[in-house]
Amino acid sequence: MNAPVNVFAAATKAEQSLASTHEVVNVARELRDYNLFTQDAVLQQAVQREAAGWAQDELTAFGALTGQAEYRELGIVANHVKPELETHDRFGNRIDQVNFHPAYHQLMKVAFEHGLHSSPWTNPGPGAQVARAARFYMQAQVEAGHGCPVSMSHAAVPALRATPEVAKIWEPKITACAYDQRNVPDRDKQALVVGMAMTEKQGGSDVRSNSTQAFPVGAEGEGQLYELVGHKFFVSAPMSDVFLTLAHTSGGLSCFLMPRWRPDGTKNPLQIIRLKRKMGNASNATSETELRGALGWMVGPEGKGIRTIIDMVAMTRFDCMIGSSAGQRIATTLAIHHCTHRAAFGKQLVDQPLMQNVLADLALESEASLTLAMRIGRAIDHRADRAEELLMRFGTAAGKYWICKRTPNHAYEAMECLGGSGVMEDSPFPRLFRESPVNAIWEGSSNVQCLDVLRAFGKQPEGLQVYFAEVMKAKGGNARLDRWIADLRQEFADLGDLESRSRGLVDRMALALQAALLVQHAPAFVADAFCASRLDGLGERNLGALPRGVDCAAIIKRAAVDA
């Protein structure tokens, strides 16, 4: 008899063959641990150049922390599990509690413990704002949403100092390097977070149209207690412990510090109506809130609310520049990393000439953005110098407009480098892309910024002289830039229809600032490529259309990380 056939064994071999259809090859890998400071040549050079070299060691340590894959995972989780509102507890008591995933609180804890909200105020000196901006820049590459309350807490201090008796009470806890997430009265906390409640639906950026009213509890005027009644349409970070807000008194629009709890430990009636459903910035809660007699102390002179908050606005606009620059940096890093590990048509993507053009252009945009932002950081550090003060005034508006406006297209182009994988929700790019428009809108959208540049020059005409003195520091370094600046002077010689063409003017001003800084401080292969691509045929090209002669490989190498 023939030996029996082992059909079971034969079937098992067939199943094993079918179960293994292919070997996974030619794919990128996750970007693992790397140091966000020591592997960023542009950031390191900016820190040294702008007088913050003394912070080298602490920035290196912070770069190692923020570059850990495990730490960056917190940003993913914080956006995946969105904040949820509980208006009442189970017994029917009003609590206005917004619950966040623990990952969000961990990011906040790190940011506040490292002084991202306070270090220039508690340790002022040359380079203080630049060093703080460098940390904010690295932290924002991990997750952008929690940067909102960090930024507002940082920006609130100059406004509070307008009324020293108020600042004396609140500033120590606002600047403390600690974080307390509990929904309890501020008297029970050692550290506080600051939010903003400026915007109302009928006015938007036109805050003079606010309808919220403030009624004195007793004495009137600066430093006194008022009750506020109104409806705020966008309240950023509603779980903050105190808020700066605007309301009308008999003396005009004034600024107020409004805590979440009353001094007697009862809840201040800031009632959250709903959380906004944003397309991006998912980790950070934004609410619509009604003020039903909420107590608040007047900060700054009565009727001078806009003037009181102007420094706060400048600080938050500066953080918009830093945050969008961070978005560009991480998008560039991820695109180069992917293309380094994936091949097509016979060689690695990073070695393909057309892909090199795209990657190099992404890197140019990123470097120019950070370079301009850090120069404004130095201006903020030296505001006692009249020229630096003026540069800060128009530079934050122009820089915020230009850098933030450029970021969405940058995010998209970086996403496209990954092909179809880039638009998958398990890729980092959908979050980066959804986040990319936020900073262009927050703290005044593009038209507001351009009009503010013109307003700054109108109020302080010498600001235009300061601007041209700044860009002329690069005179003779690049012929295209010299021609660009000369043409720009002619534009300002004719002041007709200035408002309607202000976007074009501010575009050109921002580009000249970036180009001048790169010509002075960046390698020639970077500065020349930037001027050749941005100052010749403006608006006619997408990213990835660098002209002949650009050393794309050198630019990519300068921007790449080893991880």
Side-chain angles (χ1 to χ4, degrees):
M1 294 180 61
N2 294 328
V5 177
N6 189 339
V7 294
F8 178 77
T12 300
K13 290 180 180 179
E15 289 169 358
Q16 290 173 344
S17 177
L18 290 171
S20 181
T21 61
H22 67 288
E23 181 183 356
V24 179
V25 296
N26 191 31
V27 295
R29 61 173 185 259
E30 288 291 345
L31 185 62
R32 301 304 301 172
D33 299 345
Y34 70 105
N35 191 304
L36 268 65
F37 183 70
T38 60
Q39 294 207 45
D40 188 336
V42 178
L43 177 60
Q44 291 183 81
Q45 291 163 14
V47 164
Q48 291 291 334
R49 181 174 64 248
E50 310 300 358
W54 51 266
Q56 178 88 17
D57 290 344
E58 67 179 62
L59 293 175
T60 298
F62 196 70
L65 168 63
T66 51
Q68 292 176 8
E70 183 179 1
Y71 186 70
R72 297 199 308 273
E73 184 71 20
L74 294 174
I76 298 172
V77 176
N79 280 268
H80 182 68
V81 183
K82 297 180 181 180
E84 293 184 348
L85 171 63
E86 290 184 67
T87 56
H88 297 76
D89 66 16
R90 67 191 184 95
F91 302 105
N93 299 304
R94 187 92 199 191
I95 57 173
D96 294 292
Q97 170 79 36
V98 181
N99 298 314
F100 297 84
H101 189 277
Y104 173 89
H105 291 302
Q106 182 61 25
L107 291 165
M108 288 283 285
K109 183 175 184 290
V110 168
F112 277 77
E113 287 182 349
H114 284 83
L116 273 66
H117 67 304
S118 65
S119 58
W121 315 127
T122 56
N123 296 289
Q129 288 286 352
V130 173
R132 179 260 172 190
R135 293 195 300 277
F136 191 86
Y137 176 74
M138 290 186 280
Q139 181 81 355
Q141 292 179 56
V142 177
E143 203 284 312
H146 78 288
C148 174
V150 175
S151 178
M152 292 186 296
S153 298
H154 172 250
V157 173
L160 289 180
R161 288 178 176 176
T163 303
E165 60 267 32
V166 174
K168 182 179 179 180
I169 296 170
W170 294 94
E171 186 176 328
K173 287 188 177 183
I174 290 172
T175 57
C177 289
Y179 174 66
D180 188 339
Q181 70 188 61
R182 295 176 300 156
N183 186 9
V184 298
D186 50 80
R187 67 186 185 187
D188 298 330
K189 290 188 173 188
Q190 296 303 311
L192 305 177
V193 177
V194 182
M196 291 172 62
M198 305 291 182
T199 311
E200 298 184 14
K201 52 183 176 288
Q202 74 279 356
S205 295
D206 182 11
V207 293
R208 294 187 187 276
S209 299
N210 283 3
S211 62
T212 297
Q213 298 292 314
F215 305 96
V217 173
E220 300 182 38
E222 185 173 356
Q224 299 302 316
L225 195 60
Y226 285 71
E227 288 187 340
L228 280 61
V229 178
H231 188 129
K232 297 296 181 178
F233 202 53
F234 293 114
V235 177
S236 299
M239 288 308 291
S240 298
D241 299 289
V242 290
F243 300 86
L244 283 175
T245 191
L246 295 171
H248 285 280
T249 68
S250 59
L253 189 65
S254 305
C255 182
F256 294 88
L257 180 93
M258 182 175 61
R260 194 143 51 91
W261 295 81
R262 289 173 177 261
D264 63 3
T266 61
K267 190 180 178 304
N268 211 8
L270 300 78
Q271 297 187 355
I272 301 175
I273 306 305
R274 58 173 173 162
L275 296 186
K276 299 293 192 175
R277 294 178 292 178
K278 299 173 289 184
M279 65 168 276
N281 203 245
S283 70
N284 175 45
T286 301
S287 70
E288 192 170 340
T289 303
E290 290 185 344
L291 312 181
R292 300 176 178 269
L295 290 180
W297 286 267
M298 184 182 288
V299 177
E302 185 172 10
K304 303 296 182 182
I306 301 298
R307 191 180 76 186
T308 301
I309 66 167
I310 196 67
D311 280 344
M312 183 177 190
V313 170
M315 293 290 98
T316 51
R317 286 177 175 177
F318 175 60
D319 280 356
C320 287
M321 297 171 64
I322 296 294
S324 290
S325 298
Q328 292 181 16
R329 171 59 182 169
I330 189 60
T332 302
T333 298
L334 292 168
I336 294 174
H337 176 78
H338 172 86
C339 292
T340 300
H341 293 93
R342 185 167 176 83
F345 310 113
K347 54 185 174 182
Q348 299 302 114
L349 284 176
V350 74
D351 297 323
Q352 299 278 2
L354 188 52
M355 182 59 82
Q356 284 186 331
N357 197 305
V358 173
L359 296 174
D361 216 357
L362 292 170
L364 283 178
E365 192 73 30
S366 174
E367 177 160 353
S369 294
L370 179 62
T371 301
L372 174 55
M374 295 300 259
R375 173 63 184 94
I376 299 302
R378 173 156 61 95
I380 297 172
D381 272 325
H382 293 85
R383 293 182 62 181
D385 183 311
R386 177 62 173 167
E388 294 295 291
E389 165 73 10
L390 291 170
L391 179 62
M392 185 276 290
R393 286 293 182 200
F394 67 77
T396 51
K400 189 264 191 191
Y401 158 70
W402 182 249
I403 294 171
C404 299
K405 178 65 71 178
R406 298 283 287 179
T407 300
N409 193 51
H410 185 281
Y412 164 71
E413 288 289 356
M415 179 193 298
E416 191 175 318
C417 293
L418 276 67
S421 296
V423 298
M424 297 299 110
E425 286 292 346
D426 55 1
S427 159
F429 278 100
R431 174 161 64 96
L432 288 176
F433 185 66
R434 286 192 292 263
E435 193 73 40
S436 63
V438 173
N439 283 333
I441 296 170
W442 191 44
E443 290 303 333
S445 54
S446 298
N447 285 355
V448 172
Q449 305 305 317
C450 293
L451 294 175
D452 278 359
V453 172
L454 299 187
R455 192 174 295 113
F457 289 152
K459 290 183 176 180
Q460 292 117 0
E462 68 270 33
L464 198 58
Q465 299 173 9
V466 169
Y467 170 79
F468 281 109
E470 181 69 21
V471 295
M472 287 299 288
K473 291 176 182 178
K475 184 179 180 181
N478 184 280
R480 285 188 178 89
L481 177 58
D482 290 345
R483 290 194 297 270
W484 186 271
I485 294 171
D487 290 343
L488 191 56
R489 282 187 184 276
Q490 291 301 312
E491 288 287 333
F492 279 101
D494 177 10
L495 301 182
D497 300 324
L498 197 60
E499 182 174 323
S500 65
R501 56 192 176 94
S502 61
R503 277 208 186 198
L505 281 172
V506 178
D507 285 353
R508 297 173 68 182
M509 289 178 63
L511 277 168
L513 273 172
Q514 288 181 321
L517 289 166
L518 293 178
V519 166
Q520 294 173 79
H521 306 301
F525 62 80
V526 170
D528 291 345
F530 185 87
C531 292
S533 58
R534 270 64 172 177
L535 307 185
D536 186 8
L538 176 64
E540 296 176 1
R541 303 186 179 99
N542 282 316
L543 288 166
L546 296 175
R548 288 178 173 176
V550 171
D551 191 347
C552 292
I555 296 170
I556 294 167
K557 183 178 179 181
R558 177 171 168 82
V561 303
D562 181 18

